[in-house]
Amino acid sequence: MVRGKTEIRRIENTARRLVTFTKRRNCLLKKAYELSVLCDAEVALIVFSSRGKLFEFSSSSAERTIERYKLQTGNGNGAKGIEKNVQHRRTEATDTANKIKTLESHYRKLLGEGLEGCSHDELLSLETQIVRSLQNIRGRKQSMSEEQIVQLNDKVRVLLEENVSLHQESHCRAEAQLQLRAGRDVDPTKNVEVETELELGRPGTREAK
């Protein structure tokens, strides 16, 4: 049976359209991979679905391939593309330098330097920024002080508990030493004097000695 030629137009059925997209996308990605391997070609493939989901394949780096493409297609001429890219980089460098210069000037003004050319509104704006910064700094300082106080109180509590524990241990040791000394002072082998009565001479007579 010979398959009929598929008409190339938008598939109206949503389910069929999604199935067709999945099949043909996978086939396209496979062909791109085969082309890069078999022919040693630099290939970058980017596909967005109708729902905005990205699918991509790159034999090396998609970003590098895109940059290479931009250089090669600048006004249809590679040299002009390179020149355009260089000019773009120079413009970016100039803009960055101007931004840095502006930030440095603003920083000096915040330090109270270079205020000669400032208008009244600019000085008022600087004053507002400095006041707001001082409020933030003081708030942060107060917060840190409170945290340090809490930490110090915790340390004091721990030290007091350790001190009480050490005092109790010292008291127990002292009592144990006293009991040990008291036990050593009693000598069970020592003679004990006992009063006795001894009778001498004839019976009926008693001489105490």
Side-chain angles (χ1 to χ4, degrees), residues 19-37 43-49 53-59:
V19 172
T20 302
F21 173 78
T22 301
K23 291 181 178 180
R24 299 207 173 215
R25 179 202 67 205
N26 294 338
C27 181
L28 184 61
L29 293 173
K30 181 180 178 182
K31 291 297 181 181
Y33 168 74
E34 292 175 353
L35 179 63
S36 65
V37 174
V43 180
L45 175 64
I46 299 175
V47 179
F48 285 97
S49 68
K53 190 174 181 180
L54 171 64
F55 301 91
E56 63 177 326
F57 166 80
S58 176
S59 58

PDB file of all heavy atoms in Angstrom, residues 19-37 43-49 53-59:
ATOM      1  N   VAL A  19       1.355  15.053  18.902  1.00  0.00           N
ATOM      2  CA  VAL A  19       2.028  13.799  18.564  1.00  0.00           C
ATOM      3  C   VAL A  19       2.972  13.994  17.395  1.00  0.00           C
ATOM      4  O   VAL A  19       4.126  13.525  17.400  1.00  0.00           O
ATOM      5  CB  VAL A  19       0.986  12.708  18.255  1.00  0.00           C
ATOM      6  CG1 VAL A  19       1.675  11.455  17.717  1.00  0.00           C
ATOM      7  CG2 VAL A  19       0.181  12.363  19.502  1.00  0.00           C
ATOM      8  N   THR A  20       2.507  14.718  16.377  1.00  0.00           N
ATOM      9  CA  THR A  20       3.350  14.972  15.209  1.00  0.00           C
ATOM     10  C   THR A  20       4.567  15.802  15.587  1.00  0.00           C
ATOM     11  O   THR A  20       5.687  15.556  15.108  1.00  0.00           O
ATOM     12  CB  THR A  20       2.539  15.697  14.125  1.00  0.00           C
ATOM     13  OG1 THR A  20       1.403  14.893  13.784  1.00  0.00           O
ATOM     14  CG2 THR A  20       3.365  15.934  12.879  1.00  0.00           C
ATOM     15  N   PHE A  21       4.364  16.787  16.455  1.00  0.00           N
ATOM     16  CA  PHE A  21       5.489  17.622  16.882  1.00  0.00           C
ATOM     17  C   PHE A  21       6.546  16.788  17.591  1.00  0.00           C
ATOM     18  O   PHE A  21       7.742  16.930  17.331  1.00  0.00           O
ATOM     19  CB  PHE A  21       4.983  18.729  17.811  1.00  0.00           C
ATOM     20  CG  PHE A  21       6.080  19.536  18.439  1.00  0.00           C
ATOM     21  CD1 PHE A  21       6.734  20.515  17.720  1.00  0.00           C
ATOM     22  CD2 PHE A  21       6.480  19.296  19.753  1.00  0.00           C
ATOM     23  CE1 PHE A  21       7.756  21.254  18.288  1.00  0.00           C
ATOM     24  CE2 PHE A  21       7.505  20.027  20.327  1.00  0.00           C
ATOM     25  CZ  PHE A  21       8.137  21.002  19.591  1.00  0.00           C
ATOM     26  N   THR A  22       6.103  15.894  18.479  1.00  0.00           N
ATOM     27  CA  THR A  22       7.055  15.070  19.222  1.00  0.00           C
ATOM     28  C   THR A  22       7.853  14.161  18.293  1.00  0.00           C
ATOM     29  O   THR A  22       9.083  14.066  18.399  1.00  0.00           O
ATOM     30  CB  THR A  22       6.314  14.219  20.267  1.00  0.00           C
ATOM     31  OG1 THR A  22       5.604  15.088  21.154  1.00  0.00           O
ATOM     32  CG2 THR A  22       7.280  13.367  21.068  1.00  0.00           C
ATOM     33  N   LYS A  23       7.171  13.525  17.362  1.00  0.00           N
ATOM     34  CA  LYS A  23       7.852  12.613  16.445  1.00  0.00           C
ATOM     35  C   LYS A  23       8.851  13.358  15.557  1.00  0.00           C
ATOM     36  O   LYS A  23      10.005  12.956  15.418  1.00  0.00           O
ATOM     37  CB  LYS A  23       6.828  11.880  15.587  1.00  0.00           C
ATOM     38  CG  LYS A  23       5.975  10.869  16.365  1.00  0.00           C
ATOM     39  CD  LYS A  23       5.011  10.175  15.427  1.00  0.00           C
ATOM     40  CE  LYS A  23       4.180   9.130  16.166  1.00  0.00           C
ATOM     41  NZ  LYS A  23       3.228   8.426  15.273  1.00  0.00           N
ATOM     42  N   ARG A  24       8.403  14.429  14.946  1.00  0.00           N
ATOM     43  CA  ARG A  24       9.271  15.141  14.008  1.00  0.00           C
ATOM     44  C   ARG A  24      10.393  15.890  14.732  1.00  0.00           C
ATOM     45  O   ARG A  24      11.481  16.043  14.184  1.00  0.00           O
ATOM     46  CB  ARG A  24       8.437  16.100  13.167  1.00  0.00           C
ATOM     47  CG  ARG A  24       7.384  15.382  12.342  1.00  0.00           C
ATOM     48  CD  ARG A  24       7.032  16.129  11.109  1.00  0.00           C
ATOM     49  NE  ARG A  24       6.146  15.347  10.267  1.00  0.00           N
ATOM     50  CZ  ARG A  24       6.172  15.369   8.942  1.00  0.00           C
ATOM     51  NH1 ARG A  24       7.066  16.095   8.311  1.00  0.00           N
ATOM     52  NH2 ARG A  24       5.317  14.653   8.233  1.00  0.00           N
ATOM     53  N   ARG A  25      10.130  16.334  15.942  1.00  0.00           N
ATOM     54  CA  ARG A  25      11.191  16.983  16.725  1.00  0.00           C
ATOM     55  C   ARG A  25      12.306  16.003  17.023  1.00  0.00           C
ATOM     56  O   ARG A  25      13.495  16.314  16.854  1.00  0.00           O
ATOM     57  CB  ARG A  25      10.598  17.524  18.028  1.00  0.00           C
ATOM     58  CG  ARG A  25      11.603  18.213  18.943  1.00  0.00           C
ATOM     59  CD  ARG A  25      11.102  18.216  20.358  1.00  0.00           C
ATOM     60  NE  ARG A  25      11.057  16.871  20.909  1.00  0.00           N
ATOM     61  CZ  ARG A  25      10.248  16.501  21.904  1.00  0.00           C
ATOM     62  NH1 ARG A  25       9.410  17.364  22.438  1.00  0.00           N
ATOM     63  NH2 ARG A  25      10.264  15.252  22.338  1.00  0.00           N
ATOM     64  N   ASN A  26      11.936  14.814  17.481  1.00  0.00           N
ATOM     65  CA  ASN A  26      12.949  13.798  17.770  1.00  0.00           C
ATOM     66  C   ASN A  26      13.728  13.429  16.514  1.00  0.00           C
ATOM     67  O   ASN A  26      14.955  13.238  16.570  1.00  0.00           O
ATOM     68  CB  ASN A  26      12.291  12.564  18.373  1.00  0.00           C
ATOM     69  CG  ASN A  26      11.692  12.828  19.742  1.00  0.00           C
ATOM     70  OD1 ASN A  26      12.096  13.769  20.424  1.00  0.00           O
ATOM     71  ND2 ASN A  26      10.724  12.021  20.147  1.00  0.00           N
ATOM     72  N   CYS A  27      13.023  13.325  15.394  1.00  0.00           N
ATOM     73  CA  CYS A  27      13.697  13.003  14.142  1.00  0.00           C
ATOM     74  C   CYS A  27      14.667  14.119  13.742  1.00  0.00           C
ATOM     75  O   CYS A  27      15.789  13.856  13.294  1.00  0.00           O
ATOM     76  CB  CYS A  27      12.660  12.776  13.042  1.00  0.00           C
ATOM     77  SG  CYS A  27      13.372  12.346  11.438  1.00  0.00           S
ATOM     78  N   LEU A  28      14.249  15.362  13.940  1.00  0.00           N
ATOM     79  CA  LEU A  28      15.097  16.506  13.596  1.00  0.00           C
ATOM     80  C   LEU A  28      16.340  16.551  14.471  1.00  0.00           C
ATOM     81  O   LEU A  28      17.454  16.782  13.982  1.00  0.00           O
ATOM     82  CB  LEU A  28      14.288  17.794  13.736  1.00  0.00           C
ATOM     83  CG  LEU A  28      14.988  19.093  13.327  1.00  0.00           C
ATOM     84  CD1 LEU A  28      15.383  19.049  11.857  1.00  0.00           C
ATOM     85  CD2 LEU A  28      14.078  20.284  13.600  1.00  0.00           C
ATOM     86  N   LEU A  29      16.175  16.316  15.748  1.00  0.00           N
ATOM     87  CA  LEU A  29      17.323  16.305  16.654  1.00  0.00           C
ATOM     88  C   LEU A  29      18.289  15.163  16.307  1.00  0.00           C
ATOM     89  O   LEU A  29      19.512  15.335  16.364  1.00  0.00           O
ATOM     90  CB  LEU A  29      16.837  16.168  18.103  1.00  0.00           C
ATOM     91  CG  LEU A  29      16.058  17.360  18.676  1.00  0.00           C
ATOM     92  CD1 LEU A  29      15.486  17.007  20.056  1.00  0.00           C
ATOM     93  CD2 LEU A  29      16.930  18.591  18.773  1.00  0.00           C
ATOM     94  N   LYS A  30      17.733  14.016  15.930  1.00  0.00           N
ATOM     95  CA  LYS A  30      18.578  12.885  15.543  1.00  0.00           C
ATOM     96  C   LYS A  30      19.381  13.212  14.286  1.00  0.00           C
ATOM     97  O   LYS A  30      20.579  12.916  14.204  1.00  0.00           O
ATOM     98  CB  LYS A  30      17.701  11.654  15.317  1.00  0.00           C
ATOM     99  CG  LYS A  30      18.480  10.413  14.927  1.00  0.00           C
ATOM    100  CD  LYS A  30      17.546   9.238  14.715  1.00  0.00           C
ATOM    101  CE  LYS A  30      18.321   7.999  14.276  1.00  0.00           C
ATOM    102  NZ  LYS A  30      17.422   6.837  14.022  1.00  0.00           N
ATOM    103  N   LYS A  31      18.731  13.825  13.293  1.00  0.00           N
ATOM    104  CA  LYS A  31      19.410  14.178  12.053  1.00  0.00           C
ATOM    105  C   LYS A  31      20.508  15.221  12.307  1.00  0.00           C
ATOM    106  O   LYS A  31      21.586  15.169  11.700  1.00  0.00           O
ATOM    107  CB  LYS A  31      18.401  14.712  11.038  1.00  0.00           C
ATOM    108  CG  LYS A  31      17.431  13.675  10.505  1.00  0.00           C
ATOM    109  CD  LYS A  31      18.154  12.575   9.745  1.00  0.00           C
ATOM    110  CE  LYS A  31      17.172  11.554   9.190  1.00  0.00           C
ATOM    111  NZ  LYS A  31      17.858  10.447   8.470  1.00  0.00           N
ATOM    112  N   ALA A  32      20.247  16.157  13.209  1.00  0.00           N
ATOM    113  CA  ALA A  32      21.264  17.156  13.537  1.00  0.00           C
ATOM    114  C   ALA A  32      22.478  16.498  14.181  1.00  0.00           C
ATOM    115  O   ALA A  32      23.629  16.841  13.889  1.00  0.00           O
ATOM    116  CB  ALA A  32      20.666  18.218  14.463  1.00  0.00           C
ATOM    117  N   TYR A  33      22.227  15.537  15.062  1.00  0.00           N
ATOM    118  CA  TYR A  33      23.333  14.810  15.700  1.00  0.00           C
ATOM    119  C   TYR A  33      24.132  14.027  14.667  1.00  0.00           C
ATOM    120  O   TYR A  33      25.373  14.046  14.673  1.00  0.00           O
ATOM    121  CB  TYR A  33      22.772  13.880  16.774  1.00  0.00           C
ATOM    122  CG  TYR A  33      23.777  12.885  17.294  1.00  0.00           C
ATOM    123  CD1 TYR A  33      24.798  13.277  18.157  1.00  0.00           C
ATOM    124  CD2 TYR A  33      23.702  11.549  16.908  1.00  0.00           C
ATOM    125  CE1 TYR A  33      25.723  12.362  18.616  1.00  0.00           C
ATOM    126  CE2 TYR A  33      24.621  10.628  17.368  1.00  0.00           C
ATOM    127  CZ  TYR A  33      25.636  11.036  18.226  1.00  0.00           C
ATOM    128  OH  TYR A  33      26.556  10.130  18.679  1.00  0.00           O
ATOM    129  N   GLU A  34      23.427  13.338  13.780  1.00  0.00           N
ATOM    130  CA  GLU A  34      24.112  12.556  12.747  1.00  0.00           C
ATOM    131  C   GLU A  34      24.947  13.447  11.844  1.00  0.00           C
ATOM    132  O   GLU A  34      26.068  13.093  11.456  1.00  0.00           O
ATOM    133  CB  GLU A  34      23.082  11.769  11.938  1.00  0.00           C
ATOM    134  CG  GLU A  34      22.394  10.667  12.730  1.00  0.00           C
ATOM    135  CD  GLU A  34      21.300   9.991  11.931  1.00  0.00           C
ATOM    136  OE1 GLU A  34      20.995  10.476  10.815  1.00  0.00           O
ATOM    137  OE2 GLU A  34      20.748   8.973  12.405  1.00  0.00           O
ATOM    138  N   LEU A  35      24.415  14.605  11.480  1.00  0.00           N
ATOM    139  CA  LEU A  35      25.156  15.528  10.619  1.00  0.00           C
ATOM    140  C   LEU A  35      26.433  16.007  11.291  1.00  0.00           C
ATOM    141  O   LEU A  35      27.494  16.111  10.654  1.00  0.00           O
ATOM    142  CB  LEU A  35      24.256  16.718  10.257  1.00  0.00           C
ATOM    143  CG  LEU A  35      24.875  17.805   9.380  1.00  0.00           C
ATOM    144  CD1 LEU A  35      25.261  17.233   8.020  1.00  0.00           C
ATOM    145  CD2 LEU A  35      23.911  18.976   9.217  1.00  0.00           C
ATOM    146  N   SER A  36      26.356  16.306  12.601  1.00  0.00           N
ATOM    147  CA  SER A  36      27.540  16.799  13.311  1.00  0.00           C
ATOM    148  C   SER A  36      28.611  15.721  13.440  1.00  0.00           C
ATOM    149  O   SER A  36      29.798  16.004  13.360  1.00  0.00           O
ATOM    150  CB  SER A  36      27.134  17.311  14.691  1.00  0.00           C
ATOM    151  OG  SER A  36      26.651  16.240  15.500  1.00  0.00           O
ATOM    152  N   VAL A  37      28.191  14.459  13.620  1.00  0.00           N
ATOM    153  CA  VAL A  37      29.152  13.375  13.808  1.00  0.00           C
ATOM    154  C   VAL A  37      29.724  12.909  12.472  1.00  0.00           C
ATOM    155  O   VAL A  37      30.946  12.809  12.300  1.00  0.00           O
ATOM    156  CB  VAL A  37      28.487  12.195  14.553  1.00  0.00           C
ATOM    157  CG1 VAL A  37      29.450  11.009  14.624  1.00  0.00           C
ATOM    158  CG2 VAL A  37      28.068  12.616  15.955  1.00  0.00           C
ATOM    159  N   VAL A  43      26.958  22.180  14.557  1.00  0.00           N
ATOM    160  CA  VAL A  43      25.513  22.253  14.397  1.00  0.00           C
ATOM    161  C   VAL A  43      24.888  22.759  15.691  1.00  0.00           C
ATOM    162  O   VAL A  43      25.241  22.304  16.783  1.00  0.00           O
ATOM    163  CB  VAL A  43      24.917  20.879  14.035  1.00  0.00           C
ATOM    164  CG1 VAL A  43      23.404  20.972  13.878  1.00  0.00           C
ATOM    165  CG2 VAL A  43      25.554  20.348  12.760  1.00  0.00           C
ATOM    166  N   ALA A  44      23.969  23.696  15.551  1.00  0.00           N
ATOM    167  CA  ALA A  44      23.174  24.174  16.684  1.00  0.00           C
ATOM    168  C   ALA A  44      21.715  24.225  16.245  1.00  0.00           C
ATOM    169  O   ALA A  44      21.393  24.831  15.220  1.00  0.00           O
ATOM    170  CB  ALA A  44      23.638  25.546  17.133  1.00  0.00           C
ATOM    171  N   LEU A  45      20.856  23.562  16.989  1.00  0.00           N
ATOM    172  CA  LEU A  45      19.436  23.480  16.646  1.00  0.00           C
ATOM    173  C   LEU A  45      18.621  23.981  17.830  1.00  0.00           C
ATOM    174  O   LEU A  45      18.799  23.521  18.957  1.00  0.00           O
ATOM    175  CB  LEU A  45      19.058  22.039  16.308  1.00  0.00           C
ATOM    176  CG  LEU A  45      17.578  21.769  16.043  1.00  0.00           C
ATOM    177  CD1 LEU A  45      17.102  22.531  14.808  1.00  0.00           C
ATOM    178  CD2 LEU A  45      17.338  20.269  15.864  1.00  0.00           C
ATOM    179  N   ILE A  46      17.731  24.921  17.563  1.00  0.00           N
ATOM    180  CA  ILE A  46      16.868  25.488  18.600  1.00  0.00           C
ATOM    181  C   ILE A  46      15.426  25.378  18.138  1.00  0.00           C
ATOM    182  O   ILE A  46      15.090  25.820  17.033  1.00  0.00           O
ATOM    183  CB  ILE A  46      17.221  26.959  18.883  1.00  0.00           C
ATOM    184  CG1 ILE A  46      18.660  27.073  19.379  1.00  0.00           C
ATOM    185  CG2 ILE A  46      16.268  27.553  19.919  1.00  0.00           C
ATOM    186  CD1 ILE A  46      19.116  28.500  19.567  1.00  0.00           C
ATOM    187  N   VAL A  47      14.567  24.788  18.979  1.00  0.00           N
ATOM    188  CA  VAL A  47      13.156  24.603  18.638  1.00  0.00           C
ATOM    189  C   VAL A  47      12.313  25.050  19.821  1.00  0.00           C
ATOM    190  O   VAL A  47      12.564  24.642  20.962  1.00  0.00           O
ATOM    191  CB  VAL A  47      12.853  23.126  18.314  1.00  0.00           C
ATOM    192  CG1 VAL A  47      11.368  22.954  17.985  1.00  0.00           C
ATOM    193  CG2 VAL A  47      13.718  22.644  17.158  1.00  0.00           C
ATOM    194  N   PHE A  48      11.312  25.882  19.549  1.00  0.00           N
ATOM    195  CA  PHE A  48      10.336  26.280  20.540  1.00  0.00           C
ATOM    196  C   PHE A  48       8.986  25.689  20.155  1.00  0.00           C
ATOM    197  O   PHE A  48       8.546  25.843  19.010  1.00  0.00           O
ATOM    198  CB  PHE A  48      10.221  27.807  20.632  1.00  0.00           C
ATOM    199  CG  PHE A  48      11.367  28.465  21.343  1.00  0.00           C
ATOM    200  CD1 PHE A  48      12.417  29.004  20.618  1.00  0.00           C
ATOM    201  CD2 PHE A  48      11.389  28.535  22.725  1.00  0.00           C
ATOM    202  CE1 PHE A  48      13.481  29.616  21.257  1.00  0.00           C
ATOM    203  CE2 PHE A  48      12.446  29.140  23.379  1.00  0.00           C
ATOM    204  CZ  PHE A  48      13.490  29.686  22.649  1.00  0.00           C
ATOM    205  N   SER A  49       8.352  25.021  21.108  1.00  0.00           N
ATOM    206  CA  SER A  49       7.028  24.466  20.839  1.00  0.00           C
ATOM    207  C   SER A  49       5.991  25.580  20.836  1.00  0.00           C
ATOM    208  O   SER A  49       6.283  26.736  21.164  1.00  0.00           O
ATOM    209  CB  SER A  49       6.676  23.422  21.899  1.00  0.00           C
ATOM    210  OG  SER A  49       6.501  24.044  23.165  1.00  0.00           O
ATOM    211  N   LYS A  53       7.943  25.950  25.003  1.00  0.00           N
ATOM    212  CA  LYS A  53       8.952  25.098  25.607  1.00  0.00           C
ATOM    213  C   LYS A  53      10.141  24.977  24.669  1.00  0.00           C
ATOM    214  O   LYS A  53       9.986  24.801  23.471  1.00  0.00           O
ATOM    215  CB  LYS A  53       8.370  23.722  25.906  1.00  0.00           C
ATOM    216  CG  LYS A  53       9.288  22.851  26.756  1.00  0.00           C
ATOM    217  CD  LYS A  53       8.605  21.558  27.150  1.00  0.00           C
ATOM    218  CE  LYS A  53       9.505  20.704  28.027  1.00  0.00           C
ATOM    219  NZ  LYS A  53       8.856  19.441  28.416  1.00  0.00           N
ATOM    220  N   LEU A  54      11.343  25.051  25.228  1.00  0.00           N
ATOM    221  CA  LEU A  54      12.570  25.048  24.444  1.00  0.00           C
ATOM    222  C   LEU A  54      13.136  23.641  24.322  1.00  0.00           C
ATOM    223  O   LEU A  54      13.232  22.909  25.288  1.00  0.00           O
ATOM    224  CB  LEU A  54      13.615  25.961  25.091  1.00  0.00           C
ATOM    225  CG  LEU A  54      15.039  25.914  24.506  1.00  0.00           C
ATOM    226  CD1 LEU A  54      15.039  26.416  23.065  1.00  0.00           C
ATOM    227  CD2 LEU A  54      15.992  26.727  25.361  1.00  0.00           C
ATOM    228  N   PHE A  55      13.561  23.314  23.086  1.00  0.00           N
ATOM    229  CA  PHE A  55      14.296  22.086  22.804  1.00  0.00           C
ATOM    230  C   PHE A  55      15.509  22.485  21.974  1.00  0.00           C
ATOM    231  O   PHE A  55      15.380  23.259  21.013  1.00  0.00           O
ATOM    232  CB  PHE A  55      13.434  21.081  22.027  1.00  0.00           C
ATOM    233  CG  PHE A  55      12.172  20.683  22.746  1.00  0.00           C
ATOM    234  CD1 PHE A  55      11.004  21.395  22.548  1.00  0.00           C
ATOM    235  CD2 PHE A  55      12.168  19.615  23.618  1.00  0.00           C
ATOM    236  CE1 PHE A  55       9.831  21.042  23.199  1.00  0.00           C
ATOM    237  CE2 PHE A  55      11.000  19.245  24.281  1.00  0.00           C
ATOM    238  CZ  PHE A  55       9.829  19.959  24.076  1.00  0.00           C
ATOM    239  N   GLU A  56      16.676  21.971  22.323  1.00  0.00           N
ATOM    240  CA  GLU A  56      17.875  22.383  21.618  1.00  0.00           C
ATOM    241  C   GLU A  56      18.892  21.259  21.535  1.00  0.00           C
ATOM    242  O   GLU A  56      18.871  20.314  22.332  1.00  0.00           O
ATOM    243  CB  GLU A  56      18.519  23.593  22.304  1.00  0.00           C
ATOM    244  CG  GLU A  56      18.995  23.325  23.717  1.00  0.00           C
ATOM    245  CD  GLU A  56      19.693  24.524  24.313  1.00  0.00           C
ATOM    246  OE1 GLU A  56      20.370  25.252  23.569  1.00  0.00           O
ATOM    247  OE2 GLU A  56      19.572  24.722  25.536  1.00  0.00           O
ATOM    248  N   PHE A  57      19.751  21.386  20.543  1.00  0.00           N
ATOM    249  CA  PHE A  57      20.877  20.483  20.377  1.00  0.00           C
ATOM    250  C   PHE A  57      22.050  21.305  19.866  1.00  0.00           C
ATOM    251  O   PHE A  57      21.889  22.193  19.019  1.00  0.00           O
ATOM    252  CB  PHE A  57      20.574  19.356  19.376  1.00  0.00           C
ATOM    253  CG  PHE A  57      21.812  18.621  18.930  1.00  0.00           C
ATOM    254  CD1 PHE A  57      22.371  17.655  19.743  1.00  0.00           C
ATOM    255  CD2 PHE A  57      22.423  18.930  17.718  1.00  0.00           C
ATOM    256  CE1 PHE A  57      23.523  16.983  19.352  1.00  0.00           C
ATOM    257  CE2 PHE A  57      23.570  18.262  17.331  1.00  0.00           C
ATOM    258  CZ  PHE A  57      24.121  17.285  18.144  1.00  0.00           C
ATOM    259  N   SER A  58      23.238  20.996  20.382  1.00  0.00           N
ATOM    260  CA  SER A  58      24.436  21.688  19.929  1.00  0.00           C
ATOM    261  C   SER A  58      25.590  20.707  19.950  1.00  0.00           C
ATOM    262  O   SER A  58      25.770  19.963  20.921  1.00  0.00           O
ATOM    263  CB  SER A  58      24.746  22.890  20.817  1.00  0.00           C
ATOM    264  OG  SER A  58      25.960  23.499  20.420  1.00  0.00           O
ATOM    265  N   SER A  59      26.362  20.707  18.879  1.00  0.00           N
ATOM    266  CA  SER A  59      27.516  19.820  18.806  1.00  0.00           C
ATOM    267  C   SER A  59      28.649  20.301  19.712  1.00  0.00           C
ATOM    268  O   SER A  59      29.509  19.527  20.102  1.00  0.00           O
ATOM    269  CB  SER A  59      28.012  19.713  17.364  1.00  0.00           C
ATOM    270  OG  SER A  59      28.349  21.001  16.863  1.00  0.00           O
TER     271      SER A  59
END
